[in-house]
Amino acid sequence: MPGLKHEKLCLAPVAGVDEAGRGPLAGPVVAAAVILPAKGIPRGLDDSKKLSAAERARLHGRLMDCATIGIGICEAEEIDSLNIFWATMKAMTLAVEALGCPPGHVLVDGNRLPRWTWQATAIVGGDGISMSIAAASIIAKHTRDTIMITHAEAYPHYGWHSNKGYAAPDHLRALREHGPCPLHRRSFAPVAQAVLPF
């Protein structure tokens, strides 16, 4: 379970950063930065992948009420332009900038850091061991899922209400039958292969 060991070693305020949406074929990559409160941290924070959608939604609401939060988003067009790695780095940077206050230290899930001036540490598996990164993973995942469910209303063929833009069988089948929409990442191979001839 995540704890505060890493946060206690750093200059406050400490921001945890994580992203959601590196792998999908459509939609944005979303990053979140979270500075937890000194008291009143919600119970149950964990790697977002280990939580149900209902639990993520509950914790998202609690975190929005008590924590300092920044969100950064890079849309599909920018992902195609920069590539997914650099788009993710940009989304993380935007998320920290959106906090509204400079962090003393940033803890980032993964093994790479964006090119920025803040003191930072990359932690592999950070969303499972750092409470602030776990909080960021919940915010990022819930935010991105909500975006994709909203887009599913405009583009119902692809089943985004359930697959959230990942390469699920129903999504791949719709890509073959209908071709990509403006929210698809054209630089991703399954999308590029599904482009319908004009």
Side-chain angles (χ1 to χ4, degrees), residues 120-155:
T121 304
I123 304 175
V124 175
D127 48 4
I129 57 177
S130 160
M131 205 169 283
S132 59
I133 296 177
S137 79
I138 291 166
I139 296 293
K141 173 70 172 162
H142 179 79
T143 299
R144 188 183 186 282
D145 284 356
T146 301
I147 289 169
M148 294 309 295
I149 290 169
T150 301
H151 285 324
E153 298 175 11
Y155 301 99

Side-chain angles (χ1 to χ4, degrees), residues 156-159 168-180 184 194:
H157 303 304
Y158 305 105
D170 56 338
H171 189 183
L172 292 171
R173 183 168 56 252
L175 261 176
R176 289 191 298 269
E177 293 175 0
H178 302 282
H184 277 100

Side-chain angles (χ1 to χ4, degrees), residues 8-131:
K8 290 176 180 177
L9 296 173
C10 301
L11 178 67
V14 178
V17 173
D18 201 3
E19 54 73 30
R22 288 184 73 156
L25 306 180
V29 60
V30 176
V34 177
I35 298 173
L36 292 170
K39 295 182 179 180
I41 296 172
R43 293 179 181 272
L45 296 180
D46 205 346
D47 174 359
S48 64
K49 296 184 290 296
K50 298 178 182 177
L51 303 173
S52 67
E55 185 66 1
R56 285 195 299 268
R58 182 188 73 81
L59 288 167
H60 176 275
R62 293 287 312 281
L63 288 165
M64 294 301 288
D65 287 340
C66 73
T68 301
I69 293 171
I71 295 173
I73 297 175
C74 279
E75 300 290 351
E77 186 175 339
E78 202 159 17
I79 292 169
D80 289 337
S81 172
L82 296 174
N83 79 38
I84 186 59
F85 174 80
W86 290 113
T88 300
M89 295 295 107
K90 180 175 180 179
M92 288 181 173
T93 302
L94 293 172
V96 177
E97 290 174 348
L99 285 168
C101 61
H105 202 94
V106 185
L107 301 175
V108 179
D109 184 54
N111 61 1
R112 299 285 295 276
L113 294 171
R115 294 171 179 165
W116 56 24
T117 57
W118 302 293
Q119 292 295 311
T121 304
I123 304 175
V124 175
D127 48 4
I129 57 177
S130 160
M131 205 169 283

